[in-house]
Amino acid sequence: MDITNLIDEALEKISRASAPDILESVRIEYLGRNGQITKLLRSIGSLPSDQRSEAGQEANAAREKVEAALTEQFSRIAHQPKKSKIDTTLPGIRPLRGAFHPVRQVIQDARAVFRRLGFEFVEGREVETEFHNFTALNIPLDHPSRDAFDTFYTKGKNLLRSQTSTVQIRVMETRKPPLRIIAPGRVYRPDTVDASHSFMFHQIEGLLVDDRSTFSDLKGVINLFLRQFFGKNVKSRFRPHFFPFTEPSVEVDMSCILCGGKGCMTCKRTGWLEIMGAGMVDPAVFQSVGYPSGKYRGFAFGMGVERIAMLRHGIQDIRLFYENDLNFLRQFS
Ligand code: PHE
């Protein structure tokens, strides 16, 4: 090949080499041990003596040119920043911020109110015995709530608790009054799932036992809770009711937080919302946990957590709580 063409070809390849390893292979191609320019230089000795000097000068000039071009190109590409796949000009990805589930938020807020009233937080268990869910709570053997249509039974005569009142028994079995506890947690009932029913939901149980508390203490504690939780203008109403484990028993209504008691769709135009069951602990319950008869007095209450969360946020369908839909849940963070 003509030497000028060889130089042009080499310079062209050098100028296109975009990375040091490509440049190195170009160097080897021309200046390596078997490189084209090296071969050229080596062949000079075999030329007739009158041609050697000129050919030698040409070949040396070619080598110098190519070497200079290699050095220059190397310093150009070596200092170039590596092409990165990360585009640092794009906006960053915001890390997701976690938040408590609206059901858990109600539990924590209620817990904070009851803590100020001296109530201790305890947890029971979800798989329970018939004794703790029914018998010790004075629920007779033929009571319909014991039916398999109303309670999930597990193998071996246990069950999934259908109310957190079980925790009243668990606590009294192991401890002596004075007691002031609240116990939130899951309960299970084989209800057909619809907008207001779920086979699993949450309750908050409260229990106070000492030797002097009265029904007015029960009213006082519940009124304080309702006002601190829902706002100071909330009114309450205690309607006579029946629970086997309290006597007397009541259902507690509060003035509708949506219409202020005037009557709306949520309170079915009554101005009132049913919010919990409550009552003075029945002596039969004290007896079943082995407390001496006549020594203690106390009251208990139980409320549904989902219902409170639904009222609080104006949620119409209980199923939304269990779908893990972040578009729904993010509204409460
Ligand atoms: N356990 C009752 C229920 O699930 C509520 C309740 C609790 C009533 C404590 C009175 C006392 O309906």
Side-chain angles (χ1 to χ4, degrees), residues 177-202:
L179 295 169
R180 276 187 207 185
I181 57 110
I182 60 154
R186 295 191 180 104
V187 299
Y188 299 84
R189 294 180 191 178
D191 284 329
T192 303
V193 175
D194 64 21
S196 52
H197 295 86
S198 166
F199 59 88
M200 184 281 300
F201 59 99
H202 296 72

Side-chain angles (χ1 to χ4, degrees), residues 162-165 168 189 203 205-206 243 245-246 277-279 300-302:
S162 59
Q163 50 183 355
T164 45
S165 300
Q168 293 185 34
R189 294 180 191 178
Q203 288 187 328
E205 191 81 9
F243 296 105
F245 36 94
T246 47
F301 51 87

Side-chain angles (χ1 to χ4, degrees), residues 3 17 22 27 39 70 93 99 121 125 149 153 157 163 168 192 204 221 236 266 274 301 309 319 328:
I3 193 151
I22 302 173
R27 189 192 67 78
K39 276 187 197 157
L70 281 167
I93 299 165
F121 177 92
R125 53 181 82 181
F149 289 113
Y153 287 88
K157 273 214 150 188
Q163 50 183 355
Q168 293 185 34
T192 303
I204 299 173
V221 164
S236 65
T266 303
E274 188 196 314
F301 51 87
R319 289 169 290 199
F328 169 74

